C-alpha cells in the first residue's frame, strides 16, 4: 500500500481514489480467514454446515456453537468474528419479535435480511465505528418457499442456492458449482455438504469439529447429534 493509499486506510467513511473502503475490505479478509461454513438450499429446506477451528482439548466443543434457530421458520450461521455474529443474531431476533408485535405474522426472510443489512451498512458510514467482521448465512422457509441469503460487511446481500465462506472457500465453491442440484433430498444434500467441507481441509474431519443444522418445511429446526454426523461421515467419497 502506498503512502497515499494508507491515508484512506485510517477513515472508514472516505473512499480512496480507486473507489475502495479499506476497512470494509479488511472485514472481508477476517471472513476469509474464518472457519469454513457452507449453506445449501435443497428440496423444501435449508442445510447449514459449520466447520469449527482447531481447539484445545480442554475446551468443551459443544460450547462453540455456530448454528442458531432465530424463529420457527428461520435459522442462521456465520463465518468470521463470533462476537460480531452474536450481536447480529440478537438484532435478527429483535426484528422478528417486533414484526410479530406490529403485524401479528411471521416476517419473510428477505425483509428480515434487508433490515439486517440496513443495520450493517450503518457501520460503514459513520465515524467511531467499524464494519462487522462477519458474513451471516440466513435461511429457512416462508411464503416464498425455501430461501438462503448471505450478507456482506458492506451491508449488501445475495440469495444463493449454495454458498461457502471461510478458508479455502474457492475450492469448496468450485465443488458446489459442479455438483449442486436443486432437487436433492435431505440425505443427499448432507453428503454433498460434507464432501464440500472435506475439500477445505487436509485434516481428518471428526463429528466434534462439525455442526450441522437443518430447517425443513412443516418440520422443526434440527441439529444433528454427533452419532448422526458420524454415520454421514462414513458415507463420504
Amino acid at each position: 500500500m502506498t503512502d497515499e493509499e494508507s491515508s484512506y486506510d485510517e477513515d472508514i467513511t472516505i473512499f480512496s481514489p480507486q473507489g475502495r473502503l479499506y476497512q470494509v475490505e479488511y472485514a472481508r479478509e477476517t471472513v476469509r480467514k474464518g472457519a469454513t461454513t457452507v449453506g445449501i438450499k435443497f428440496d423444501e429446506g435449508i442445510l447449514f454446515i459449520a466447520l469449527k477451528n482447531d481447539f484445545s482439548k480442554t475446551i468443551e466443543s459443544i460450547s462453540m456453537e455456530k448454528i442458531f434457530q432465530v424463529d420457527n421458520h428461520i435459522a442462521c450461521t456465520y463465518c468470521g468474528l463470533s462476537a460480531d455474529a452474536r450481536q447480529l443474531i440478537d438484532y435478527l431476533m429483535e426484528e422478528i419479535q417486533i414484526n410479530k408485535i406490529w403485524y401479528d405474522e411471521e416476517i419473510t426472510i428477505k425483509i428480515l435480511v434487508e433490515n439486517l443489512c440496513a443495520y450493517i451498512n450503518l457501520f460503514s458510514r459513520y465515524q467511531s465505528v467499524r464494519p462487522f467482521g462477519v458474513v451471516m448465512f440466513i435461511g429457512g422457509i416462508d411464503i416464498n418457499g425455501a430461501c438462503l441469503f448471505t450478507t456482506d460487511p458492506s451491508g449488501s446481500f445475495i440469495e444463493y442456492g449454495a454458498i461457502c465462506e471461510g478458508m479455502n472457500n474457492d475450492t469448496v465453491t468450485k465443488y458446489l458449482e459442479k455438483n449442486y442440484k436443486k432437487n436433492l433430498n435431505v440425505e443427499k444434500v448432507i453428503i454433498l455438504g460434507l464432501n464440500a467441507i472435506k475439500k477445505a481441509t487436509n485434516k481428518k474431519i471428526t463429528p466434534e469439529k462439525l455442526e450441522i443444522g437443518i430447517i425443513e418445511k412443516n418440520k422443526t429446526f434440527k441439529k444433528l447429534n454427533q452419532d448422526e454426523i458420524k454415520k454421514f461421515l462414513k458415507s463420504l467419497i
Side-chain angles (χ1 to χ4, degrees), residues 96-187:
I96 289 167
Q97 293 305 314
I98 289 170
N99 188 84
K100 287 182 178 178
I101 292 171
W102 285 359
Y103 303 109
D104 193 27
E105 63 182 15
E106 294 182 335
I107 193 169
T108 65
I109 298 168
K110 184 176 182 180
I111 290 176
L112 179 64
V113 173
E114 288 175 346
N115 293 347
L116 177 67
C117 286
Y119 176 70
I120 292 172
N121 179 254
L122 293 176
F123 288 77
S124 66
R125 294 165 54 193
Y126 294 100
Q127 297 278 1
S128 303
V129 297
R130 64 162 176 79
F132 289 99
V134 66
V135 162
M136 301 296 298
F137 293 42
I138 303 165
I141 313 291
D142 60 17
I143 58 174
N144 300 309
C147 303
L148 173 63
F149 292 88
T150 65
T151 69
D152 182 82
S154 67
S156 63
F157 65 91
I158 301 177
E159 185 173 4
Y160 285 93
I163 178 65
C164 173
E165 292 286 356
M167 291 183 287
N168 296 315
N169 72 303
D170 290 340
T171 301
V172 178
T173 298
K174 288 179 181 178
Y175 179 84
L176 291 173
E177 289 175 345
K178 182 178 179 180
N179 296 279
Y180 172 68
K181 299 177 182 178
K182 293 183 178 180
N183 60 347
L184 296 174
N185 61 31
V186 63
E187 289 81 13

Side-chain angles (χ1 to χ4, degrees), residues 14-79:
I14 298 178
F15 286 93
S16 75
Q18 293 76 30
R20 301 167 65 180
L21 286 175
Y22 286 106
Q23 293 299 320
V24 172
E25 293 186 20
Y26 296 155
R28 291 194 187 105
E29 189 62 31
T30 298
V31 174
R32 293 189 190 100
K33 294 180 179 179
T36 309
T37 306
V38 169
I40 304 175
K41 180 170 70 174
F42 63 97
D43 189 19
E44 299 190 336
I46 301 294
L47 169 76
F48 293 124
I49 302 181
L51 181 65
K52 300 177 182 179
N53 284 324
D54 290 336
F55 47 82
S56 169
K57 293 181 180 180
T58 62
I59 295 176
E60 293 288 349
S61 62
I62 194 172
S63 68
M64 302 171 67
E65 189 175 12
K66 291 198 66 179
I67 301 174
F68 302 84
Q69 182 180 12
V70 293
D71 199 8
N72 293 330
H73 64 304
I74 305 174
C76 70
T77 186
Y78 68 91
C79 183

